[in-house]
Amino acid sequence: TVVISTPPQGAEACAADPIMDLLELGFRTLDEWSVFFRTMRPGIESQRAQALDRIAIEGLHDPYLGLVTPDRIELDSARLRESLIAHSCTSRTRAILHVLRTYACGREKSLRVFASERLSPFAQRLRSIFPRFTGSEYLPLASDRRAHPRVMHQDVQALSFSDDSFDIYVSCEVLEHVPDMDRAISEAARILKPGGLFVGTVPFNMRGTERTIKARLGPDGLEHLAPPEYHGNPTRPDEGSLVFAIPGWDFVQDLERAGFEDAGMRFVMSGYFGLLTNDVGGVFLFAARKPVKPAA
């Protein structure tokens, strides 16, 4: 059974005009995804090839800024998820903008948005769209904070914000670097207002049901359970950030245990918006909402 992902309540009328090549589906389990991809794989691969040809001729559309001509697009055909760069957004981050535009429904000026990044080009895009944007970086050492005196330090496992502070929490490629991912998810639920959206991307094993633990913090300090893996970190470009875990499909249950509803992995594919990847054709992102409290 494939679960069709629907826009948040009240946002249906705010979605973009129907785009014929936009494929947007929600999945909760490996079985749901496997049935879909096994059946649709030939069509997805054909659609991706056609989409790349169209982008090379006609360009793509940013969800907020409209048409981007081919000469203004940076394309690496071997890295589509982190490529197709236009207006500082990759295929991956543009997929998040697509979801945010539907959720915001014209309320961009009033919504409070938090992102666990501040120095990235995508953080600058979010700030340009949402005036009430707050971004942060993980700056645990005094030397880190001296190097970035105007950047807020936040540990996503222990955020300093009050309960029910934000309408949207955007997390891009951060959770895999957190020693306690479940605690970080619980913090996301805490700081979001009722009805708030937790959305983002994470390296995701769409072929596995369980989280892969690569490193952990124990009584004796850091323990590596696999060869150390590091990803880019704008605050420490020479070092990067250690990967602690790669989530599998149990990530959906992790979100639900933290108190989220409508949790799932969202698969979005579109040549019109330039939402393409090499492995499965489209972009995987997670999305979940904090429940609205029942009226007293």
Side-chain angles (χ1 to χ4, degrees):
T1 302
V2 175
V3 179
I4 305 299
S5 178
T6 56
Q9 293 180 359
E12 288 84 354
C14 305
D17 293 337
I19 304 301
M20 294 303 295
D21 81 339
L22 175 61
L23 178 63
E24 185 169 7
L25 303 170
F27 300 92
R28 298 189 68 257
T29 69
L30 173 60
D31 287 343
E32 290 175 355
W33 165 250
S34 297
V35 170
F36 167 79
F37 190 62
R38 184 168 59 248
T39 304
M40 300 297 294
R41 184 171 186 172
I44 285 175
E45 292 177 349
S46 174
Q47 180 176 332
R48 177 180 54 202
Q50 294 174 21
L52 286 172
D53 289 342
R54 285 198 303 272
I55 289 172
I57 297 171
E58 302 172 6
L60 58 82
H61 288 72
D62 180 278
Y64 278 96
L65 299 177
L67 177 64
V68 183
T69 54
D71 59 299
R72 299 171 62 196
I73 300 170
E74 297 179 39
L75 169 62
D76 180 349
S77 59
R79 298 177 63 252
L80 292 178
R81 184 175 184 264
E82 304 300 327
S83 181
L84 288 172
I85 301 172
H87 292 302
S88 302
C89 283
T90 64
S91 180
R92 172 176 58 82
T93 55
R94 199 162 41 251
I96 295 173
L97 284 190
H98 165 71
V99 172
L100 291 179
R101 182 169 178 260
T102 300
Y103 179 83
C105 192
R107 299 175 295 148
E108 284 83 355
K109 291 184 178 180
S110 64
L111 295 178
R112 290 198 64 194
V113 178
F114 171 67
S116 48
E117 57 186 293
R118 174 63 178 82
L119 298 175
S120 68
F122 184 53
Q124 305 311 311
R125 272 303 308 274
L126 290 174
R127 179 178 291 278
S128 72
I129 295 167
F130 298 95
R132 302 183 71 190
F133 171 81
T134 299
S136 72
E137 297 284 351
Y138 182 58
L139 304 169
L141 302 179
S143 57
D144 297 326
R145 300 180 200 189
R146 284 195 299 269
H148 304 281
R150 298 186 178 182
V151 177
M152 177 190 296
H153 160 69
Q154 289 288 335
D155 179 349
V156 297
Q157 301 168 113
L159 295 166
S160 67
F161 308 112
S162 302
D163 296 357
D164 305 345
S165 291
F166 294 94
D167 301 285
I168 298 171
Y169 181 164
V170 180
S171 175
C172 292
E173 311 293 285
V174 170
L175 292 174
E176 70 271 23
H177 301 295
V178 179
D180 191 339
M181 188 183 300
D182 293 326
R183 186 175 173 186
I185 295 171
S186 294
E187 278 291 273
R190 181 184 67 79
I191 70 166
L192 280 169
K193 299 176 183 178
L197 176 68
F198 186 35
V199 62
T201 61
V202 63
F204 175 64
N205 179 13
M206 76 279 294
R207 299 174 181 85
T209 57
E210 297 181 355
R211 183 184 305 176
T212 301
I213 307 298
K214 292 178 171 287
R216 63 189 177 193
L217 290 178
D220 299 322
L222 180 63
E223 179 183 2
H224 293 284
L225 305 180
E229 179 180 342
Y230 294 85
H231 296 167
N233 181 339
T235 66
R236 296 183 178 183
D238 296 333
E239 301 176 27
S241 295
L242 178 67
V243 174
F244 280 89
I246 302 295
W249 283 97
D250 57 354
F251 186 62
V252 177
Q253 285 70 53
D254 296 337
L255 291 166
E256 292 173 339
R257 276 195 297 271
F260 285 105
E261 64 180 10
D262 297 334
M265 299 304 299
R266 188 172 297 191
F267 176 78
V268 188
M269 180 176 181
S270 171
Y272 182 87
F273 289 119
L275 311 179
L276 304 170
T277 64
N278 297 91
D279 50 358
V280 293
V283 178
F284 262 114
L285 61 158
F286 66 84
R289 285 186 292 176
K290 184 173 180 176
V292 176
K293 299 174 182 177

